[in-house]
Amino acid sequence: MSLHHPCNLSLLLFLASAAAAVIAADASGSGGGGSWQLLQSSIGISAMHMQLLSNDRVVIFDRTDFGISNISLAAGNCREDPNERVVTRDCSAHSVEYDSATNTFRPLTVQTDVWCSSGSAMPDGRLLQTGGFNDGERRVRSFSPCAPAACSSSTTTNASACIGCDWVEYENGLAARRWYSTNHLLPDGRQIIVGGRRQFNYEFYPKNDAAPGVYSLPFLVQTNDPDTENNLYPFVFLNVDGNLFIFANNRAILYNYSSRAVVKSYPAIPGGDPRSYPSTGSAALLPLKLALQPGGDVAAEVLVCGGAPRGSYEKAKVGNFVKGLGTCGRIRVNDPNPVWVMETMPRERVMGDMVMLPDGNVLIVNGAGSGTAGWEYGRDPVLNPVIYRPGNPVGSRFEVQNPTAVPRMYHSAAVLLRDGRVLVGGSNPHVYYNFTGVMFPTDLSLEAFSPAYLDGSFDGVRPAVVSPASGSGVAYGQKFAIRFTVAAGDVKADDVAVTMVAPPFTTHSFAMNQRLLVLGSEKLRSVAAGSYEVTVSSPGSRNLAPAGYYMVFVVHREIPSTGVWVKLH
Ligand SMILES: *[C@@H]1O[C@H](CO)[C@@H](O)[C@H](O)[C@H]1NC(C)=O
Ligand SMILES: *[C@@H]1O[C@H](CO)[C@@H](O)[C@H](O)[C@H]1NC(C)=O
Ligand SMILES: *[C@@H]1O[C@H](CO)[C@@H](O)[C@H](O)[C@H]1NC(C)=O
Ligand SMILES: *[C@@H]1O[C@H](CO)[C@@H](O)[C@H](O)[C@H]1NC(C)=O
């Protein structure tokens, strides 16, 4: 490995390896780092779906059909639904906007059922969410980031101050009903919506003349176990060549959604157990390392971790909660003959969430040690998150973190915030809101996990971005300067990396659209005492990074700055 390689993440990860190797030796012990903070004991709803927007607010929602939540809607905004299971007139909210900057929240209004739905942020910053259940199954709903001070808190009583700052719903926006589908933002700015229960097909939103309908995807028929439907919420990633990598059940294809052709088939993951819902492992696209000059090969690797062995669902039905899968498979998407390289996690995990951290590592958090997704089917909460270091040698990649006290079972979620914390919430393995008399009560709280890089002991080396200002725009294939300060001074080029992270839509243990790029960088220079400037290149193509808002972080000696929002256009 060259110490002068223009892309510095490899060095960063190399530097990390010495420390990580030591920690790996006690990986099964009490835990290596990070800390937990309870942010809200109740936001009134259970955080089943979460999306961070470019104003640092997180849109959160659960379902509309399972009773009265613990937060009221603004007056007059009640929902009438004759098919509702618990109440046919519901004046409680099932969505909230959480402001991560002020730790406040306010109710939002969804009028149709958003249960087990999907979505993505769009290039203009809106959240576009699709589908759900019952009256919501063909809805498209849009939420625009907006921030009048008057509607920023839980104490807001003036509903008219927030008009225009709420969900807008489009009836029959989808051509097919979509429940348990996966969405991804495409290079042309549309979303693709893949699969869902009894939907072996995909469609786009918005629609255009070239693709107005629903297109069959035989892979979803081939990977469907008729009894357990183990291919829901497929793991979909935009490959660097513009095709989609689609993983369902226990295998994957590379797919051209324009020509509707399978470009490549990948082998089944060793062991053959299913990893997608309801077996519910998780998956992430590992950091894409870009060169300074556009063009050239960019390696893409996908990591799939955990899940429940085949048959777990049927066994859970009769009270036999099988131990979850303890393995991860990692594959190089563009190799001529790709193979899964298997690794073993410190412990088994089903229903874990995988969150890309600004330093290029992966946080695996939430979930259970046994059982499976589905009502009442999880056991043995896994309270310790694990950090996976993709750049370390096999055998020293996992690092056990300090535990939370809150089990996060079925219907929990986690998202990265711009300040480097991870927002964690949800958990409701019950058909209803059940706060008492059950094994894992419906959880309405929000916590933050702060990885060890946020420890105050690193403040001396922690970078702080001075420019560009948050909210700045940057064009494709453009070189731009990032100015930052580091209190301790003496910053070396080889110790600095710049990463760019897309804010994903997270539900059911999968973060749709999650993407981290390491930008090519050069010319680190000192501009004043403690003040530096580094030149980076934005991605050269929409296949590498669809247009939209990204968080840009400067990482110095493994310690990330707070991010700045940059609009790639
Ligand atoms: C729901 O709200 C009620 C009344 O405000 C409160 O007593 C109760 O503790 C809340 N439940 C939860 C689980 O937060
Ligand atoms: C409520 O908000 C609206 C819109 O911002 C404003 O015009 C109105 O004066 C506010 N009403 C009260 C009682 O504060
Ligand atoms: C997908 O197929 C279309 C039509 O044949 C082609 O124009 C396009 O380049 C292909 N996409 C990729 C990513 O190869
Ligand atoms: C869960 O909540 C529902 C609806 O309120 C109620 O009917 C049911 O008895 C609760 N279950 C338990 C185990 O308390």
Side-chain angles (χ1 to χ4, degrees), residues 526-538:
S526 172
V527 291
S531 184
Y532 302 85
E533 193 177 273
V534 64
T535 300
V536 297
S537 290
S538 67

Side-chain angles (χ1 to χ4, degrees), residues 42 70 435 444:
S42 171
N70 249 35
F435 302 118
L444 308 182

Side-chain angles (χ1 to χ4, degrees), residues 5-63:
H5 194 278
C7 164
N8 291 312
L9 193 77
S10 53
L11 174 74
L12 220 61
L13 295 166
F14 172 79
L15 290 174
S17 66
V22 174
I23 294 161
D26 67 353
S28 56
S30 60
S35 62
W36 289 88
Q37 186 195 5
L38 182 66
L39 298 172
Q40 294 288 344
S41 57
S42 171
I43 54 167
I45 65 165
S46 195
M48 191 189 300
H49 314 75
M50 296 210 266
Q51 169 75 57
L52 173 69
L53 297 178
S54 54
N55 57 5
D56 296 320
R57 296 177 185 204
V58 183
V59 175
I60 304 176
F61 51 94
D62 51 20
R63 323 162 31 192

Side-chain angles (χ1 to χ4, degrees), residues 66 86 432-434 436-438:
F66 69 140
V86 183
Y432 303 101
Y433 288 107
N434 286 112
T436 55
V438 288

Side-chain angles (χ1 to χ4, degrees), residues 150 158-162:
N158 182 352
S160 59
C162 300

